[in-house]
Amino acid sequence: MDGILLVDKPMEWTSMDVCAHLRGVLHERHVGHTGTLDPNATGLLVVLTGKGTKLARYLENDTKEYVARIRLGIKTNTQDIWGEVISRHDVVIARNEIESSLEQFIGNQLQIPPMYSAVKVGGMKLVDAARAGKEIERKKRTVTVYEYSDITWIPEELQIGFTVKCSKGTYVRTICEDIGAFAGIPACMAQLERISAAGLTKDSAITLSEAAEYAADGTLADHIIPVDSFLKEYKPLIVTCEAVKRLIYGNYLYEEDIADLPEGKENPVSEEGYQIFRVYDAEGKFRALYRYDPKDRCYKCGKMFS
């Protein structure tokens, strides 16, 4: 099956655990995802299957949204509640002080990736180095927090809940610790659930048990989102019956090979300045992305999807 499957990742599963499990369910070797969720995080995992794995570069940079909780008064080595406690502190703080702290972390900011993360430095995952007792120097990275909403105060648990919309690469764990530090107390993340990514929401996600159930009754394909659904920004281009063979082998296409090319909207261009098109065969099946080369006056294959 080629396309996108939205999965509601359970706690204590790594993102790669989910992909490995789905390889068996789907009977598909090529299964990946667009953004890692920590084992103790839950929520939306955008899973790519079959030719859908070629979409990774088109989806990974999109805005993400999370529901999170901060546990006040505790600092850990992993910046979350599941790590080793480094320090504790009595909490005497008003809700408005925490809300004021949140406001300090809106917009572009520099973050240092946590040691307990999948980021690689010098070919080694930081989490592997951390487990080996090593501390590796990391460069700060620019991330963006667009907004906080739904802020709630849970005093009996010393927790603050909130929803955050942020850019790719933002570590909510780090935000939680930084918010506490700004307020003058240790803090760590106590909960994380991703509710949207790549323009998709958790509302449409299925559980792993549902995926197995749908696969058994033959309806799992109904939950796979087609590849070209994520490439609507590019104009569609339909080839003639005679040109289909050249298309499926990725050969050049010329004006006489085009049966239909809509006009009107401006078309996105590649980094080299070429216009990019979604190309379909004569029966309407999506096949590839092509770019138009005005110098050679032909369409050249950029990426095959079928």
Side-chain angles (χ1 to χ4, degrees):
M1 297 182 188
D2 301 328
I4 306 293
L5 181 64
L6 305 184
V7 175
D8 186 358
K9 190 190 86 65
M11 186 170 275
E12 298 183 351
W13 283 62
T14 69
S15 299
M16 292 311 297
D17 285 342
V18 171
C19 291
H21 178 78
L22 289 174
R23 287 188 189 100
V25 171
L26 295 164
H27 304 293
E28 169 62 60
R29 184 175 61 171
H30 300 291
V31 177
H33 62 81
T34 65
T36 301
L37 273 176
D38 290 342
N40 288 313
T42 61
L44 179 64
L45 188 67
V46 180
V47 176
L48 314 174
T49 71
K51 296 293 192 302
T53 54
K54 296 185 178 184
L55 280 172
R57 59 171 290 197
Y58 301 95
L59 300 176
E60 61 184 5
N61 292 322
D62 280 342
T63 298
K64 296 174 171 59
E65 194 169 6
Y66 299 89
V67 172
R69 281 191 183 189
I70 305 173
R71 170 59 161 91
L72 303 173
I74 293 178
K75 181 174 182 177
T76 73
N77 63 335
T78 58
Q79 299 183 327
D80 60 39
I81 200 71
W82 302 282
E84 178 185 339
V85 176
I86 297 173
S87 64
R88 294 179 182 271
H89 194 284
D90 290 336
V91 176
V92 181
I93 191 168
R95 172 175 174 167
N96 65 327
E97 292 180 82
I98 289 296
E99 291 184 354
S100 176
S101 298
L102 284 166
E103 292 172 3
Q104 305 304 313
F105 296 92
I106 294 178
N108 294 335
Q109 54 198 271
L110 294 175
Q111 260 194 2
I112 299 176
M115 281 300 302
Y116 282 85
S117 69
V119 173
K120 287 186 177 180
V121 175
M124 174 180 269
K125 282 187 178 181
L126 291 178
V127 64
D128 293 335
R131 287 169 179 163
K134 299 178 182 178
E135 180 80 18
I136 294 179
E137 185 177 349
R138 292 97 71 200
K139 292 183 179 179
K140 292 182 178 180
R141 305 191 304 183
T142 300
V143 299
T144 306
V145 173
Y146 300 105
E147 66 175 1
Y148 296 102
S149 59
D150 304 322
I151 301 170
T152 57
W153 171 238
I154 310 116
E156 67 276 9
E157 299 179 27
L158 295 178
Q159 293 187 11
I160 297 287
F162 60 92
T163 299
V164 58
K165 187 178 291 186
C166 56
S167 65
K168 175 203 172 187
T170 304
Y171 281 93
V172 181
R173 283 182 285 147
T174 302
I175 290 176
C176 291
E177 187 175 82
D178 288 347
I179 287 170
F182 185 85
I185 56 173
C188 64
M189 187 180 74
Q191 176 187 321
L192 186 68
E193 178 186 29
R194 185 155 63 199
I195 57 175
S196 73
L200 304 161
T201 67
K202 179 179 171 262
D203 295 340
S204 303
I206 63 175
T207 64
L208 292 177
S209 59
E210 286 173 333
E213 177 186 329
Y214 298 146
D217 65 21
T219 61
L220 186 55
D222 297 338
H223 299 272
I224 301 290
I225 305 173
V227 171
D228 59 334
S229 297
F230 298 91
L231 301 169
K232 296 297 187 183
E233 61 184 305
Y234 305 116
K235 281 185 182 178
L237 180 154
I238 302 172
V239 303
T240 64
C241 293
E242 295 76 17
V244 169
K245 189 172 183 179
R246 286 198 292 281
L247 167 62
I248 62 178
Y249 284 106
N251 293 333
Y252 291 178
L253 299 172
Y254 297 88
E255 293 298 332
E256 60 268 25
D257 297 320
I258 309 306
D260 186 36
L261 176 59
E263 298 180 0
K265 73 172 186 177
E266 193 165 323
N267 212 30
V269 297
S270 67
E271 292 180 0
E272 297 80 14
Y274 299 123
Q275 287 196 70
I276 302 172
F277 298 86
R278 282 180 285 133
V279 184
Y280 295 79
D281 64 23
E283 295 180 352
K285 182 178 180 179
F286 175 60
R287 293 287 186 172
L289 286 178
Y290 266 66
R291 64 184 188 276
Y292 182 70
D293 188 332
K295 181 179 178 181
D296 294 335
R297 302 182 67 181
C298 68
Y299 299 87
K300 298 179 179 181
C301 185
K303 186 174 289 289
M304 291 297 299
F305 285 90
S306 177

Short mmCIF file of all heavy atoms in Angstrom, two decimals, residues 163-191:
data_model
loop_
_atom_site.label_atom_id
_atom_site.label_comp_id
_atom_site.label_asym_id
_atom_site.label_seq_id
_atom_site.Cartn_x
_atom_site.Cartn_y
_atom_site.Cartn_z
N THR A 163 -1.33 23.78 25.40
CA THR A 163 -1.17 23.34 24.01
C THR A 163 -0.17 24.28 23.36
O THR A 163 -0.25 25.50 23.55
CB THR A 163 -2.52 23.39 23.27
OG1 THR A 163 -3.45 22.51 23.91
CG2 THR A 163 -2.35 22.97 21.82
N VAL A 164 0.77 23.71 22.60
CA VAL A 164 1.79 24.53 21.95
C VAL A 164 1.88 24.19 20.48
O VAL A 164 1.84 23.02 20.08
CB VAL A 164 3.17 24.34 22.64
CG1 VAL A 164 3.63 22.89 22.60
CG2 VAL A 164 4.22 25.24 21.99
N LYS A 165 1.98 25.23 19.66
CA LYS A 165 2.18 25.06 18.22
C LYS A 165 3.60 25.53 17.92
O LYS A 165 4.00 26.64 18.28
CB LYS A 165 1.17 25.91 17.45
CG LYS A 165 1.18 25.68 15.94
CD LYS A 165 0.12 26.51 15.24
CE LYS A 165 -1.27 26.01 15.57
NZ LYS A 165 -2.31 26.73 14.79
N CYS A 166 4.39 24.67 17.27
CA CYS A 166 5.81 24.97 17.11
C CYS A 166 6.36 24.38 15.82
O CYS A 166 5.70 23.61 15.12
CB CYS A 166 6.60 24.43 18.31
SG CYS A 166 6.37 22.67 18.62
N SER A 167 7.60 24.74 15.51
CA SER A 167 8.25 24.28 14.29
C SER A 167 8.87 22.90 14.48
O SER A 167 9.02 22.41 15.61
CB SER A 167 9.35 25.27 13.89
OG SER A 167 10.38 25.28 14.88
N LYS A 168 9.25 22.30 13.37
CA LYS A 168 9.98 21.04 13.40
C LYS A 168 11.26 21.22 14.23
O LYS A 168 11.90 22.27 14.19
CB LYS A 168 10.37 20.64 11.98
CG LYS A 168 11.25 19.39 11.92
CD LYS A 168 12.05 19.33 10.65
CE LYS A 168 13.05 18.19 10.71
NZ LYS A 168 13.97 18.17 9.56
N GLY A 169 11.62 20.19 14.99
CA GLY A 169 12.87 20.22 15.74
C GLY A 169 12.76 20.86 17.10
O GLY A 169 13.76 20.93 17.83
N THR A 170 11.57 21.34 17.47
CA THR A 170 11.38 21.95 18.79
C THR A 170 11.22 20.86 19.84
O THR A 170 10.39 19.96 19.67
CB THR A 170 10.13 22.85 18.81
OG1 THR A 170 10.25 23.84 17.78
CG2 THR A 170 9.98 23.53 20.16
N TYR A 171 12.00 20.93 20.90
CA TYR A 171 11.87 19.97 21.99
C TYR A 171 11.00 20.58 23.09
O TYR A 171 11.40 21.54 23.75
CB TYR A 171 13.24 19.57 22.54
CG TYR A 171 13.92 18.55 21.67
CD1 TYR A 171 14.80 18.94 20.66
CD2 TYR A 171 13.65 17.18 21.81
CE1 TYR A 171 15.40 18.00 19.83
CE2 TYR A 171 14.25 16.24 20.99
CZ TYR A 171 15.12 16.66 20.00
OH TYR A 171 15.70 15.73 19.17
N VAL A 172 9.79 20.04 23.25
CA VAL A 172 8.88 20.55 24.26
C VAL A 172 9.44 20.29 25.65
O VAL A 172 9.24 21.06 26.58
CB VAL A 172 7.48 19.92 24.09
CG1 VAL A 172 6.50 20.46 25.14
CG2 VAL A 172 6.94 20.20 22.69
N ARG A 173 10.19 19.19 25.81
CA ARG A 173 10.86 18.91 27.10
C ARG A 173 11.74 20.08 27.51
O ARG A 173 11.78 20.48 28.68
CB ARG A 173 11.71 17.65 26.98
CG ARG A 173 10.95 16.36 27.00
CD ARG A 173 11.90 15.19 26.92
NE ARG A 173 12.45 15.00 25.59
CZ ARG A 173 13.66 14.55 25.32
NH1 ARG A 173 14.52 14.29 26.31
NH2 ARG A 173 14.07 14.36 24.09
N THR A 174 12.50 20.57 26.54
CA THR A 174 13.42 21.67 26.82
C THR A 174 12.65 22.94 27.17
O THR A 174 13.03 23.70 28.08
CB THR A 174 14.33 21.93 25.61
OG1 THR A 174 15.06 20.72 25.32
CG2 THR A 174 15.31 23.05 25.87
N ILE A 175 11.54 23.18 26.47
CA ILE A 175 10.70 24.34 26.79
C ILE A 175 10.21 24.26 28.23
O ILE A 175 10.24 25.24 28.97
CB ILE A 175 9.50 24.41 25.82
CG1 ILE A 175 9.96 24.78 24.41
CG2 ILE A 175 8.46 25.41 26.32
CD1 ILE A 175 8.85 24.77 23.37
N CYS A 176 9.76 23.05 28.63
CA CYS A 176 9.24 22.89 29.99
C CYS A 176 10.31 23.22 31.03
O CYS A 176 10.04 23.92 32.02
CB CYS A 176 8.74 21.45 30.19
SG CYS A 176 7.26 21.05 29.24
N GLU A 177 11.51 22.71 30.82
CA GLU A 177 12.60 22.99 31.76
C GLU A 177 12.96 24.48 31.76
O GLU A 177 13.19 25.07 32.82
CB GLU A 177 13.82 22.15 31.41
CG GLU A 177 14.93 22.26 32.44
CD GLU A 177 16.10 21.33 32.14
OE1 GLU A 177 16.96 21.71 31.31
OE2 GLU A 177 16.14 20.23 32.72
N ASP A 178 12.98 25.08 30.56
CA ASP A 178 13.34 26.49 30.45
C ASP A 178 12.30 27.39 31.10
O ASP A 178 12.64 28.42 31.70
CB ASP A 178 13.50 26.88 28.97
CG ASP A 178 14.76 26.29 28.34
OD1 ASP A 178 15.62 25.80 29.10
OD2 ASP A 178 14.86 26.32 27.10
N ILE A 179 11.03 27.03 30.97
CA ILE A 179 9.96 27.83 31.59
C ILE A 179 10.13 27.83 33.11
O ILE A 179 10.00 28.87 33.78
CB ILE A 179 8.58 27.27 31.19
CG1 ILE A 179 8.29 27.63 29.72
CG2 ILE A 179 7.48 27.81 32.10
CD1 ILE A 179 7.09 26.94 29.14
N GLY A 180 10.43 26.65 33.67
CA GLY A 180 10.67 26.57 35.10
C GLY A 180 11.87 27.40 35.52
O GLY A 180 11.82 28.13 36.51
N ALA A 181 12.95 27.30 34.73
CA ALA A 181 14.16 28.05 35.05
C ALA A 181 13.89 29.55 35.04
O ALA A 181 14.40 30.30 35.89
CB ALA A 181 15.26 27.70 34.05
N PHE A 182 13.08 30.01 34.09
CA PHE A 182 12.76 31.44 34.03
C PHE A 182 11.98 31.88 35.26
O PHE A 182 12.15 33.00 35.75
CB PHE A 182 11.94 31.73 32.76
CG PHE A 182 11.68 33.19 32.55
CD1 PHE A 182 12.61 33.99 31.91
CD2 PHE A 182 10.49 33.77 33.00
CE1 PHE A 182 12.37 35.36 31.73
CE2 PHE A 182 10.25 35.13 32.82
CZ PHE A 182 11.19 35.92 32.18
N ALA A 183 11.14 30.95 35.77
CA ALA A 183 10.35 31.26 36.97
C ALA A 183 11.14 31.03 38.25
O ALA A 183 10.66 31.30 39.36
CB ALA A 183 9.08 30.40 37.00
N GLY A 184 12.38 30.51 38.12
CA GLY A 184 13.24 30.33 39.28
C GLY A 184 13.06 29.02 40.01
O GLY A 184 13.48 28.90 41.17
N ILE A 185 12.45 28.01 39.35
CA ILE A 185 12.26 26.71 40.00
C ILE A 185 12.59 25.60 39.00
O ILE A 185 12.45 25.79 37.79
CB ILE A 185 10.81 26.52 40.51
CG1 ILE A 185 9.83 26.71 39.35
CG2 ILE A 185 10.50 27.43 41.66
CD1 ILE A 185 8.39 26.40 39.71
N PRO A 186 13.01 24.43 39.49
CA PRO A 186 13.22 23.30 38.57
C PRO A 186 11.88 22.84 38.00
O PRO A 186 10.83 22.99 38.65
CB PRO A 186 13.86 22.23 39.46
CG PRO A 186 13.46 22.58 40.84
CD PRO A 186 13.34 24.07 40.88
N ALA A 187 11.91 22.30 36.81
CA ALA A 187 10.69 21.80 36.18
C ALA A 187 11.05 20.79 35.11
O ALA A 187 12.17 20.75 34.61
CB ALA A 187 9.90 22.95 35.56
N CYS A 188 10.10 19.95 34.78
CA CYS A 188 10.31 18.96 33.72
C CYS A 188 8.97 18.67 33.06
O CYS A 188 7.91 19.06 33.55
CB CYS A 188 10.93 17.67 34.27
SG CYS A 188 9.89 16.79 35.44
N MET A 189 9.02 17.98 31.93
CA MET A 189 7.78 17.63 31.21
C MET A 189 7.15 16.40 31.85
O MET A 189 7.83 15.43 32.13
CB MET A 189 8.10 17.35 29.74
CG MET A 189 6.87 17.14 28.87
SD MET A 189 7.35 16.83 27.15
CE MET A 189 7.97 15.13 27.28
N ALA A 190 5.82 16.44 32.05
CA ALA A 190 5.12 15.33 32.68
C ALA A 190 4.20 14.58 31.71
O ALA A 190 3.74 13.48 32.00
CB ALA A 190 4.30 15.82 33.87
N GLN A 191 3.93 15.19 30.55
CA GLN A 191 3.04 14.56 29.58
C GLN A 191 3.27 15.21 28.22
O GLN A 191 3.52 16.41 28.14
CB GLN A 191 1.58 14.73 29.99
CG GLN A 191 0.56 14.18 28.98
CD GLN A 191 -0.86 14.52 29.37
OE1 GLN A 191 -1.22 14.50 30.54
NE2 GLN A 191 -1.69 14.87 28.40
#
